[in-house]
Amino acid sequence: MADDLGHIENLVPEARQALIRGDDEARVMLIKTEKFIPYEKGNDILERLEELLREPKKPRMPGYLIVGDSGNGKTSILRKFCRTHPPTDGLDAEAVPVVPVEAPDGPDPDALYESVLEYLMVPFKRSDKREQKKRDVKYYLKDAGTRMLCVDELHNILNGTKTRQGMFLTALKGLTNQLLMPIVLAGTREALNAITQDDQIRSRYRPLFLPRWKMDKEYVTLLASIEKTLPLKKPSRLASPELAPEILERSHGLLGEIITLISEAAVAAIRTTKSERITLKEITESKYIRPATGDDYANLLGSP
């Protein structure tokens, strides 16, 4: 009993309050709500982005390319950073300090400009000439006091010829040069292939790697941090020798899958098994579906 009380006191305030209120469905909703789990590599990247945001304007602004497998935390880091620097009511000089967009499904500068204008809620015509859209983007980014542009899913631009990829990257270079504004990119390892085409672009966007998780001290610390966010009545000890390897194997070491697996197991502990803690039973009886592998597709294609 004392162990359970110590566990509850160790929860983050939101989880502890949800547990005190005693509403099971509210607890489930909290578990499923997107949240940023602090961890060493993620915190390091966030600190670098904060420093970059404070970078004084100069002719050659630096930038970063956050690189990692799909589902390993790139977008989560960008969203956390953007939540820290949200748009204001527009009464000050920096109404929109950070503009986040997703790279279009192909190396199309027009689509990039349109995404920026849409985020800034600026009316435009898709039939406008590219130069007009570019002028509008530059004007409204200045007007909004934007200090950083973030472009996620950069690997999308690989769905085009190298010539068109070069045009897209040149459009990015033009924005950072003319606005003296840093740009942060994020994508899978394939995105590195895109930025290596141009020496100037390659030297400007320093890579920040997010490797898959492995069984080490940082992974164990991550599990302990996740457990503090779960409004369960009993301790699960996710970092135990029984659970930690199982979670790592099932998730393939991807941060998003680790969180999804644990969340589904926590929901099972409330709704299905009613054990109020995560054990191997909750992990195996949860609704979690592991990510597919190449072997899965090979077996599927080979089946009658």
Side-chain angles (χ1 to χ4, degrees), residues 41-58:
K41 188 64 177 178
N43 290 340
D44 174 66
I45 293 177
L46 286 170
E47 289 174 7
R48 289 178 181 272
L49 297 187
E50 291 289 347
E51 188 67 27
L52 184 61
L53 191 64
R54 296 190 293 267
E55 189 79 16
K57 293 182 181 296
K58 51 190 173 185

Side-chain angles (χ1 to χ4, degrees), residues 118-189:
E118 285 174 349
Y119 184 83
L120 295 173
M121 294 186 290
V122 175
F124 68 92
K125 295 179 180 179
R126 298 195 186 277
S127 58
D128 287 342
K129 292 186 179 298
R130 179 176 299 171
E131 283 303 312
Q132 178 61 52
K133 294 174 185 175
K134 180 179 178 181
R135 284 194 296 269
D136 287 345
V137 165
K138 289 163 54 180
Y139 174 82
Y140 285 105
L141 285 175
K142 284 183 180 179
D143 187 60
T146 301
R147 291 182 286 146
M148 180 184 291
L149 175 65
C150 297
V151 183
D152 198 6
E153 308 291 348
L154 183 69
H155 47 271
N156 287 349
I157 74 169
L158 296 176
N159 297 322
T161 65
K162 287 190 175 182
T163 299
R164 289 182 58 81
Q165 292 173 31
M167 291 172 58
F168 184 89
L169 294 172
T170 298
L172 287 177
K173 184 167 64 175
L175 289 178
T176 191
N177 285 345
Q178 294 162 28
L179 296 173
L180 302 181
M181 178 184 66
I183 295 178
V184 173
L185 310 174
T188 61
R189 286 173 290 180

